[in-house]
Amino acid sequence: MIEFKNISKSFSSKDILNNISFKIKTGESVAIIGQSGEGKSVLLKHFNGLMMPDSGQVIIDKKIINELSFSDLQLVRKNMSMVFQFGALFDSLSIKDNILISLDNNTSLDTDEKEKRVIESLDLVNLSHIDHLYLNDLSGGMKKRVGISRAISIRPTYILYDEPTTGLDPINTGKIIKLMQSIKNSKKITSIIVTHEMKIVNEFVSRVIMLKNGNIIFDGSPKDLNSSKDKYIKSFILGKE
Amino acid sequence: MYSLLKYPLKKIISLFEEFGKFIMLIVNVFRSYSSWPVYFSNSIDQMIIIGTKSIPIVILTSFFTGMVSSVQAGYQMESSITPKWIIGSLVGETMLLELAPVITSLVLAGRIGATIAAELGTMRVTEQIDALESLSLDPIAYLVFPRVLAGFIMFPVLIIIADVFGISGGVFAAATSLDIDTYQFMKGFKTWFKPWDAWYGIIKGLSFGMAITSISCFYGFYTKGGAAGVGKSTTSSVVVSCVAIMLLDYILAALLL
């Protein structure tokens, strides 16, 4: 269970998040949408403490994460993975080592179990045959898949996706959505996705939170979003001014 | 009047803010001591990058510095009343006390400082540092500690190499340009040599190594923006490291000599 209580955040006197509150139940899939610069990624980084609010509380499994010590926060992060917009994979490491670094730090598996887990995680994204390659040898879509593979390898309870399909062609976008779908169904993971992609909203999530000027202007199902009469929401969905 | 003062005041405040942030980074390096054994292998890699791979440039610069100081000392001591061996004393002392540590560190501020700042800066703007944090790793222990430790250990080694090759350069130039043989040069060198002078150079190496690596890590770690931000951090790290070397050089001279 995740709860955001009156979260506010500003940068250089510009308000990005303005007294935001919501709850996310375990197992729920939630999309955070809004125009560029509305603070979606900033909001997402509050879930795992990569950013801390100026005021308010972020509560995850009854722990107020913005009041935790660094070591306690690290314990919370062991149950929470993040897929970054451009992968954020370590270019000095091979694909396999990118996943191993996550397992080394977040699990107590022995060497053989870790090797097995790497193969399992890469199998899920159909990349186990190229685990020895480095990032320079991969396409954008492959990097995203490795990022997802790294995220799921630790068997998290929560998974955060920051624009997982940005920069991908429609075929790769479809592959990523299918992959996210299969992870959600098989592992019962709570998924929070920052996206502009209406395909993700319509096919993947059960709930949508829309941000504008640092406030939540919509919180409901994708069906309700699509049938909204609000001019701003309509223009966002249709991609027209 | 207010607007005239506003800009310099803002600059002074941001300078203090940056210094505070730098101190906090150093404090956090020490605070992460429990993770140090885990990341010690990273330090070995960094020792190779910072130390072993810098040896050729250190040899080259120190050898030529020794040669130049020998030729210049010969030019200034042309009088027939000064004994020729005095060149060995002058070159030896200047190399040990000043030229080997300072020139080596200035060169390494460019080589090592720029590499560290660009590497960490790129990791910051491509969210790799955020990724480390999200994977429950301590990015300061993982990225900053190994580099600072490697600088602390390897700089004194590089200074010793610079001392040896600087003096060798002096001997070579004295023999080829000034007609002073190795025996005379070394006689002069031994006459004024005090072991403390060599230790002083090594102490300088320790301090300069710490300064260069920590400053570069600071600028890289807190890079903002994209490619332009990385460029800015790299430039700042080299400039500030060079200024810090000069400042520390004076402080150490005033305190230890």
Side-chain angles (χ1 to χ4, degrees), chain B residues 9-27:
Chain B
L9 269 176
K10 243 181 155 178
K11 275 274 162 197
I12 292 167
I13 291 167
S14 74
L15 200 76
F16 276 105
E17 276 176 359
E18 281 219 342
F19 187 68
K21 227 166 140 184
F22 172 72
I23 297 296
M24 280 312 294
L25 181 81
I26 301 299
V27 169

Side-chain angles (χ1 to χ4, degrees), chain B residues 101-158:
Chain B
V102 173
I103 300 278
T104 303
S105 300
L106 288 174
V107 169
L108 293 181
R111 201 190 97 80
I112 306 297
T115 307
I116 292 175
E119 196 181 351
L120 297 195
T122 306
M123 286 187 78
R124 171 62 75 191
V125 301
T126 55
E127 293 185 308
Q128 289 180 50
I129 294 180
D130 281 347
L132 282 174
E133 254 189 271
S134 75
L135 296 172
S136 320
L137 279 119
D138 180 350
I140 291 176
Y142 185 77
L143 297 170
V144 180
F145 159 71
R147 285 165 175 81
V148 176
L149 180 70
F152 187 73
I153 292 173
M154 293 314 287
F155 263 68
V157 177
L158 294 171

Side-chain angles (χ1 to χ4, degrees), chain A residues 45 48 50 70 74 77-78 80 82 84-85 88-91 101-102 105-106 150, chain B residues 38-39 119 122-123 126-139 142:
Chain A
K45 285 182 177 176
N48 58 356
L50 288 180
F70 183 73
Q74 281 185 313
R77 284 173 177 158
K78 284 183 193 290
M80 193 176 269
M82 185 162 182
F84 288 84
Q85 193 173 356
L89 300 164
F90 308 115
D91 39 24
I101 195 175
S102 173
N105 216 48
N106 293 295
R150 181 176 71 183
Chain B
V38 183
Y39 304 123
E119 196 181 351
T122 306
M123 286 187 78
T126 55
E127 293 185 308
Q128 289 180 50
I129 294 180
D130 281 347
L132 282 174
E133 254 189 271
S134 75
L135 296 172
S136 320
L137 279 119
D138 180 350
Y142 185 77

